[in-house]
Amino acid sequence: MIYITRREHFNAAHKLFNPDWTEDKNNEVFGKCANPNWHGHNYNLYVTVKGNVNPETGYSVNLKELSSIIRTYITDKLDHKNLNLDVDFMKGLMPSTENVAIAIWKELLPHVNKLDCKLHSVKLFETENNYVEYFGE
Amino acid sequence: MIYITRREHFNAAHKLFNPDWTEDKNNEVFGKCANPNWHGHNYNLYVTVKGNVNPETGYSVNLKELSSIIRTYITDKLDHKNLNLDVDFMKGLMPSTENVAIAIWKELLPHVNKLDCKLHSVKLFETENNYVEYFGE
Amino acid sequence: MIYITRREHFNAAHKLFNPDWTEDKNNEVFGKCANPNWHGHNYNLYVTVKGNVNPETGYSVNLKELSSIIRTYITDKLDHKNLNLDVDFMKGLMPSTENVAIAIWKELLPHVNKLDCKLHSVKLFETENNYVEYFGE
Amino acid sequence: MIYITRREHFNAAHKLFNPDWTEDKNNEVFGKCANPNWHGHNYNLYVTVKGNVNPETGYSVNLKELSSIIRTYITDKLDHKNLNLDVDFMKGLMPSTENVAIAIWKELLPHVNKLDCKLHSVKLFETENNYVEYFGE
Amino acid sequence: MIYITRREHFNAAHKLFNPDWTEDKNNEVFGKCANPNWHGHNYNLYVTVKGNVNPETGYSVNLKELSSIIRTYITDKLDHKNLNLDVDFMKGLMPSTENVAIAIWKELLPHVNKLDCKLHSVKLFETENNYVEYFGE
Amino acid sequence: MIYITRREHFNAAHKLFNPDWTEDKNNEVFGKCANPNWHGHNYNLYVTVKGNVNPETGYSVNLKELSSIIRTYITDKLDHKNLNLDVDFMKGLMPSTENVAIAIWKELLPHVNKLDCKLHSVKLFETENNYVEYFGE
């Protein structure tokens, strides 16, 4: 069993704002992240899968295929987008780093399951100072 | 004469869209950057000043002062903001990396001029793959 | 359950020197790190906590609070300090990267326990080539 | 129990090519990596060991010793080499990142076992976008 | 006048070996870089152009076009290649970082000249410890 | 003419304290950097030389020689040292980043002058947020 990780990235706008709350409560909890006119980030996404090494290829997974899956189902839908408004699989979710990472896991899972490996983790950097990691449970 | 550089950063939303053009022409020129719902970046800003070394301090400039100026006049106004909508000194400007860097230079110049040093350059990274540098002329 | 990490940093002096040993033995074991006049590092500290996502905020933990705890109890006490001489919670400890990381864990634990999450790990980089990670057991 | 990691690096050439396959199949599976005239990478290697802290030294392992073992048995044999042709412990193996990491684990294990710690993982970056991690099982 | 830089990268094999010299002299001058079976690197290439800002776009140059030129004429020809054997514009040249950077300048110049900007510099990192910069004269 | 740069590093302790001033004035000017018990940094040093390419080697300078000079005359004297107390060529100088960079230039110059190239700049990072660059005049 070996773990292999592919990095992809996307640049997106978002805001953290709960419409059920007053503006004051939003500012108290979310601070600058509640700016009504949005802000944004360069997100770095690390997807880790685990599997056995195929002796004919030396590969646990073909990274070209993994990269293609991540781009098709995730980063093509997130890159240069607004995470609150533009992304089908984020509808109704607060676009915190936690929720974006969990949503990415859910989107990737059925596609990674078709490969000879298992999805192990989704790690998402919002800035060089903050990241989350989700293992699916 | 020695050159000293301070890095600060800000996270902001923007879009590149010329309202005098059709949507098609905007998409042709600006591509994904024209997304009407915005996208965003983690910007890294490097401000370089030049001066002589004060023998009593070993400093060409006190970086605490330089950092304070950059934060007060630049990054506090740009961080977690929309570069098209929220920033007084960007009004009417296309928020390309070039224009943001030039606007930062203009805002900083009078404040750096009050220190014992000269503003040498403003270097602005939009992503780890793209940056601009402006020297004031 | 999701894991979220915050990076903070501090710059400090230290030396590795066991006063119960001869100078020769200190030099043999600690090499250049035993320099009696100290040396120092830019330390990067990654604190990871785990918790469930609050559906109202999308947060597992409010990073502003976590950052504030790390700064108040850890980096404000370590930054621009001498790890052998200046830090109350390092008294009597050899300031190896291992011991600094374990001491940080012990200091953070009661404060993180007051948040809706659990302390998962303390990861401390002494240089870009060396780091330790501690999980509390 | 604490985990400590040392980074070393090596620059090497390789190609991914299965001589039992046609050239077309090699190109289909390995793409540009099958170039018959080789290509190469700057590899970053992170070796993590775990152990208890020695109260006399504050060390779980002496990193000078760990670094010396990695250099003697691994990076001196891989650096500025061809992974398909020049490395005794890679003979007969496809030099995928997976297989290089597993081979490094096998080579390191008996030497780390002589220290007061256990080998925990070998993490190998082929590029800043791809890495594998192996835990020995 | 503003300076704008685009990073691209390529992974390649090479060796430094002067066929007019004895093997001993090659080893003395080039050390490990003379390994007959090649070694390789992850190269990072920074291309800087300078120009005036177009008020309609905010661009000095359209980075999509600049990136496309660098990929078409440079990195598509260098990536996953052998710099001694596979690259038309490196024929007969020792593939030192210096010579690769100068050759890249010469290849890029006529294509950048068709844009509304001037080629300012080619900066090429062979490792994180070594880079060259060429300004065309 | 081409510019080539070599990175070396050193870890050192220092403090910024002017003995001709009161403690209050030291704290006002130098802040945390005046801590009497020292603090420290991981310094990254980039030395750039310029020269012509030797057609027999493809080299403007042999980086092994340049690296050896930097290590012998600079980093071996600074690494794991106290910049206020331990370094012959820093005696009597405030160890600000500016003064360390200038002192490194002066020490390197006669040794680089014996190579077929000219010293162009000394760039010294104290942290990832601060660096100085000195060109010798």
Side-chain angles (χ1 to χ4, degrees):
Chain A
M1 185 74 80
I2 199 158
Y3 296 74
I4 186 159
T5 300
R6 174 73 189 172
R7 182 177 78 141
E8 300 286 345
H9 58 268
F10 57 95
N11 307 325
H14 77 152
K15 69 177 164 187
L16 301 181
F17 189 90
N18 185 329
D20 297 339
W21 293 351
T22 63
E23 197 179 313
D24 277 358
K25 180 145 189 211
N26 272 291
N27 288 333
E28 182 199 325
V29 173
F30 295 121
K32 295 180 295 181
C33 299
N35 177 31
N37 284 332
W38 323 96
H39 66 285
H41 298 289
N42 302 334
Y43 288 90
N44 269 302
L45 169 64
Y46 293 80
V47 174
T48 302
V49 301
K50 57 185 172 185
N52 294 305
V53 177
N54 178 329
E56 284 195 309
T57 59
Y59 281 173
S60 52
V61 67
N62 191 321
L63 280 181
K64 281 184 297 180
E65 289 178 42
L66 181 60
S67 174
S68 169
I69 285 172
I70 303 171
R71 292 184 186 204
T72 303
Y73 298 105
I74 307 298
T75 56
D76 285 356
K77 295 181 173 180
L78 299 176
D79 190 35
H80 284 72
K81 300 295 186 194
N82 184 309
L83 301 180
N84 300 66
L85 302 177
D86 292 335
V87 186
D88 54 0
F89 64 77
M90 290 298 300
K91 283 284 186 292
L93 287 172
M94 182 77 69
S96 64
T97 323
E98 288 94 328
N99 277 343
V100 181
I102 294 170
I104 290 172
W105 172 283
K106 288 179 181 166
E107 292 300 302
L108 278 179
L109 191 60
H111 303 289
V112 172
N113 279 342
K114 292 175 196 155
L115 306 174
D116 270 344
C117 63
K118 289 190 61 172
L119 186 57
H120 175 68
S121 76
V122 165
K123 192 174 183 175
L124 184 63
F125 281 75
E126 193 181 68
T127 72
E128 65 185 23
N129 295 323
N130 301 335
Y131 65 86
V132 305
E133 194 165 16
Y134 184 60
F135 299 89
E137 51 188 32
Chain B
M1 184 75 78
I2 198 158
Y3 296 74
I4 186 160
T5 300
R6 174 73 188 172
R7 181 178 79 140
E8 301 287 344
H9 58 267
F10 57 95
N11 308 323
H14 77 151
K15 69 176 166 189
L16 301 182
F17 189 91
N18 186 329
D20 297 339
W21 293 351
T22 64
E23 198 179 313
D24 277 358
K25 177 145 193 211
N26 272 291
N27 288 334
E28 182 198 324
V29 172
F30 295 121
K32 297 180 293 182
C33 298
N35 176 31
N37 285 333
W38 323 95
H39 65 285
H41 298 289
N42 302 333
Y43 289 90
N44 268 303
L45 169 64
Y46 293 81
V47 174
T48 301
V49 302
K50 57 186 172 184
N52 294 304
V53 177
N54 178 330
E56 283 194 309
T57 60
Y59 282 172
S60 51
V61 68
N62 191 323
L63 280 181
K64 281 185 297 181
E65 289 178 44
L66 180 59
S67 173
S68 169
I69 285 172
I70 303 172
R71 293 186 185 203
T72 303
Y73 299 105
I74 307 296
T75 57
D76 286 355
K77 296 182 172 180
L78 298 177
D79 190 35
H80 284 73
K81 299 295 187 195
N82 184 308
L83 302 180
N84 300 67
L85 302 177
D86 293 335
V87 186
D88 54 1
F89 64 77
M90 291 297 302
K91 284 282 186 291
L93 286 172
M94 182 78 68
S96 64
T97 322
E98 287 93 329
N99 276 342
V100 182
I102 294 170
I104 290 172
W105 172 282
K106 288 179 182 166
E107 291 301 302
L108 279 178
L109 190 61
H111 304 288
V112 172
N113 279 341
K114 292 175 195 153
L115 305 175
D116 270 344
C117 62
K118 288 192 62 172
L119 186 56
H120 175 67
S121 75
V122 166
K123 191 175 182 175
L124 184 63
F125 280 75
E126 192 182 67
T127 73
E128 63 185 23
N129 296 321
N130 301 335
Y131 66 85
V132 305
E133 193 163 19
Y134 184 61
F135 298 89
E137 52 188 34
Chain C
M1 183 76 78
I2 199 158
Y3 296 74
I4 186 160
T5 300
R6 174 74 188 172
R7 182 178 78 140
E8 300 285 345
H9 58 267
F10 56 96
N11 308 324
H14 78 152
K15 70 177 165 187
L16 301 181
F17 189 91
N18 185 330
D20 297 340
W21 291 353
T22 63
E23 198 180 312
D24 277 358
K25 179 144 190 209
N26 272 291
N27 288 333
E28 182 198 325
V29 172
F30 295 121
K32 295 180 296 182
C33 299
N35 176 31
N37 284 334
W38 323 96
H39 67 285
H41 298 288
N42 302 334
Y43 289 90
N44 269 303
L45 170 64
Y46 293 81
V47 175
T48 302
V49 302
K50 56 184 172 187
N52 294 305
V53 177
N54 179 329
E56 283 195 309
T57 59
Y59 282 172
S60 52
V61 68
N62 192 320
L63 279 180
K64 281 185 298 181
E65 289 178 44
L66 180 60
S67 173
S68 169
I69 286 172
I70 303 171
R71 292 185 184 204
T72 304
Y73 299 105
I74 306 296
T75 56
D76 285 357
K77 294 181 172 180
L78 297 177
D79 189 36
H80 284 73
K81 298 296 186 193
N82 184 308
L83 302 180
N84 300 67
L85 301 177
D86 292 334
V87 186
D88 54 0
F89 64 77
M90 290 298 301
K91 282 283 187 294
L93 287 172
M94 182 78 69
S96 64
T97 322
E98 288 94 329
N99 276 342
V100 181
I102 294 170
I104 289 171
W105 172 283
K106 289 180 181 165
E107 291 301 303
L108 279 179
L109 190 60
H111 303 289
V112 172
N113 279 342
K114 291 175 197 155
L115 306 174
D116 269 344
C117 62
K118 289 191 60 171
L119 186 57
H120 175 68
S121 75
V122 166
K123 191 173 183 176
L124 184 63
F125 280 75
E126 192 181 68
T127 72
E128 64 185 22
N129 295 321
N130 301 333
Y131 66 85
V132 305
E133 192 164 19
Y134 184 60
F135 298 88
E137 52 187 34
Chain D
M1 183 77 77
I2 199 158
Y3 296 74
I4 186 160
T5 300
R6 174 72 189 172
R7 181 177 80 140
E8 300 286 345
H9 58 267
F10 57 95
N11 308 324
H14 78 150
K15 68 176 165 189
L16 301 181
F17 190 90
N18 186 330
D20 297 339
W21 292 351
T22 62
E23 200 180 310
D24 277 359
K25 178 144 191 212
N26 271 292
N27 287 335
E28 181 198 324
V29 173
F30 295 121
K32 295 180 296 182
C33 299
N35 176 30
N37 284 333
W38 323 96
H39 66 285
H41 298 290
N42 302 333
Y43 289 90
N44 269 304
L45 170 64
Y46 292 81
V47 174
T48 301
V49 302
K50 56 185 172 185
N52 294 303
V53 177
N54 178 330
E56 284 194 308
T57 60
Y59 282 172
S60 53
V61 68
N62 191 320
L63 279 181
K64 282 184 299 180
E65 288 178 43
L66 180 60
S67 173
S68 169
I69 285 172
I70 303 171
R71 293 185 184 204
T72 304
Y73 299 106
I74 307 296
T75 55
D76 286 356
K77 294 181 173 180
L78 298 177
D79 189 35
H80 285 72
K81 299 294 186 194
N82 184 308
L83 301 181
N84 300 66
L85 302 178
D86 292 334
V87 186
D88 54 359
F89 64 77
M90 290 298 300
K91 282 284 185 292
L93 287 172
M94 182 78 68
S96 64
T97 322
E98 289 94 327
N99 276 342
V100 181
I102 294 171
I104 289 172
W105 172 282
K106 288 180 181 166
E107 292 300 302
L108 278 179
L109 190 61
H111 302 290
V112 172
N113 278 343
K114 291 175 195 154
L115 305 174
D116 270 345
C117 63
K118 287 191 63 172
L119 186 57
H120 175 66
S121 75
V122 165
K123 191 174 185 175
L124 185 62
F125 280 75
E126 193 182 68
T127 73
E128 65 185 22
N129 295 321
N130 302 333
Y131 67 85
V132 305
E133 192 164 19
Y134 185 61
F135 298 89
E137 52 189 31
Chain E
M1 183 76 77
I2 199 158
Y3 296 74
I4 186 159
T5 301
R6 173 72 188 173
R7 181 178 78 141
E8 301 286 343
H9 58 269
F10 56 95
N11 308 324
H14 77 153
K15 69 177 166 188
L16 301 181
F17 189 90
N18 185 330
D20 297 340
W21 292 352
T22 64
E23 198 179 312
D24 276 0
K25 179 145 191 211
N26 272 290
N27 288 333
E28 183 199 323
V29 172
F30 295 120
K32 296 181 294 182
C33 299
N35 177 31
N37 285 332
W38 323 96
H39 66 286
H41 297 290
N42 302 333
Y43 289 90
N44 269 302
L45 170 64
Y46 294 80
V47 175
T48 302
V49 301
K50 57 184 172 185
N52 294 306
V53 177
N54 178 330
E56 285 195 307
T57 60
Y59 282 173
S60 52
V61 69
N62 192 320
L63 279 181
K64 282 186 296 181
E65 288 178 44
L66 180 60
S67 174
S68 169
I69 285 172
I70 303 172
R71 293 186 185 202
T72 303
Y73 298 105
I74 307 296
T75 57
D76 286 355
K77 295 182 173 180
L78 297 176
D79 189 34
H80 284 71
K81 299 297 186 193
N82 184 309
L83 302 180
N84 301 67
L85 302 177
D86 292 334
V87 186
D88 54 359
F89 64 76
M90 290 297 300
K91 283 283 186 291
L93 286 173
M94 181 77 69
S96 64
T97 321
E98 287 93 329
N99 276 342
V100 181
I102 294 170
I104 290 171
W105 173 282
K106 289 180 182 166
E107 292 300 302
L108 279 178
L109 190 59
H111 303 288
V112 172
N113 278 343
K114 292 174 196 154
L115 306 173
D116 269 345
C117 62
K118 286 190 65 173
L119 185 57
H120 175 67
S121 76
V122 165
K123 192 174 182 176
L124 184 64
F125 280 75
E126 191 181 67
T127 73
E128 64 185 24
N129 295 321
N130 301 334
Y131 66 85
V132 305
E133 193 164 19
Y134 184 61
F135 299 89
E137 51 188 35
Chain F
M1 184 77 77
I2 199 158
Y3 296 74
I4 185 159
T5 300
R6 173 75 189 171
R7 182 177 78 141
E8 301 286 344
H9 58 267
F10 57 95
N11 308 322
H14 77 153
K15 68 176 166 188
L16 301 182
F17 190 91
N18 185 330
D20 297 339
W21 293 351
T22 63
E23 198 179 312
D24 278 359
K25 176 140 193 217
N26 272 290
N27 288 333
E28 182 199 323
V29 173
F30 295 121
K32 295 180 297 182
C33 299
N35 176 31
N37 285 333
W38 323 96
H39 66 284
H41 298 289
N42 303 333
Y43 289 90
N44 269 303
L45 170 63
Y46 293 81
V47 175
T48 301
V49 301
K50 57 185 172 185
N52 295 304
V53 178
N54 178 330
E56 284 195 307
T57 60
Y59 282 172
S60 52
V61 68
N62 191 320
L63 279 180
K64 282 185 298 180
E65 288 178 44
L66 180 60
S67 174
S68 169
I69 284 172
I70 303 171
R71 293 185 185 204
T72 303
Y73 298 105
I74 307 296
T75 57
D76 285 356
K77 295 181 173 180
L78 298 177
D79 189 36
H80 285 72
K81 299 296 186 194
N82 184 308
L83 302 180
N84 300 67
L85 303 177
D86 292 335
V87 186
D88 54 1
F89 64 78
M90 291 296 301
K91 283 282 186 295
L93 286 172
M94 183 77 69
S96 64
T97 322
E98 286 94 327
N99 276 342
V100 181
I102 294 170
I104 289 172
W105 172 283
K106 288 180 181 166
E107 291 302 302
L108 278 178
L109 189 60
H111 303 289
V112 172
N113 279 341
K114 291 175 195 154
L115 305 174
D116 270 344
C117 62
K118 288 191 61 172
L119 187 56
H120 175 68
S121 75
V122 165
K123 191 174 184 175
L124 184 63
F125 280 75
E126 193 182 68
T127 73
E128 63 185 23
N129 295 321
N130 303 332
Y131 66 84
V132 304
E133 192 163 20
Y134 184 60
F135 298 88
E137 51 188 32

